[in-house]
Amino acid sequence: QVQLVESGGGSVQAGGSLRVSCAASGSTYSSYSMAWFRQAPGKEREGVAIIDSSGSTSYADSVKGRFTISKDNAKNTLYLQMNSLKPEDTAIYYCAADKRSAVVAGAARYWGQGTQVTVSS
């Protein structure tokens, strides 16, 4: 079992920055790919960024160049640094963990409870 707990959401003006965190626990999470997803009101959940156990990363086109996914294995924590935020980034942000194929398919077994990010214009 893997437990994921997000924190760090909040409200910020457009152009600002936020960092959300995801504290992970469990015996095997370090071997999994981990990712951030988001879901805005009335919209489907979308993948934002993924980081593999090797440290390889990839991003959705909508956040490329603005967001950075990283992890600190010593602290068992996943991060998403969000810069140059836009109102359209407003959503609940979730972290997820599982084998890469499951994460990419949006079918990860392990999810956090989500943290709200609100960007005002």
Side-chain angles (χ1 to χ4, degrees):
Q1 283 287 340
V2 176
Q3 294 79 41
L4 303 172
V5 179
E6 298 98 335
S7 61
S11 297
V12 65
Q13 289 192 325
S17 298
L18 275 176
R19 188 178 76 165
V20 291
S21 303
C22 173
S25 61
S27 60
T28 59
Y29 93 94
S30 60
S31 65
Y32 289 153
S33 292
M34 298 188 74
W36 288 98
F37 288 77
R38 66 185 181 186
Q39 187 166 21
K43 295 188 176 182
E44 292 189 354
R45 185 178 62 199
E46 63 172 348
V48 174
I50 185 170
I51 185 165
D52 294 329
S53 57
S54 65
S56 176
T57 60
S58 60
Y59 298 89
D61 287 343
S62 59
V63 306
K64 204 171 292 183
R66 299 188 298 121
F67 290 12
T68 302
I69 188 171
S70 62
K71 60 180 180 176
D72 185 331
N73 289 332
K75 295 183 178 180
N76 296 344
T77 302
L78 176 74
Y79 302 102
L80 184 68
Q81 177 68 44
M82 302 180 287
N83 299 329
S84 302
L85 282 160
K86 305 175 181 180
E88 51 263 43
D89 295 317
T90 295
I92 300 174
Y93 284 71
Y94 300 90
C95 61
D98 206 333
K99 296 178 180 179
R100 180 180 173 83
S101 57
V103 173
V104 170
R109 285 174 292 172
Y110 308 110
W111 294 85
Q113 82 288 354
T115 186
Q116 177 71 47
V117 171
T118 302
V119 184
S120 58
S121 58

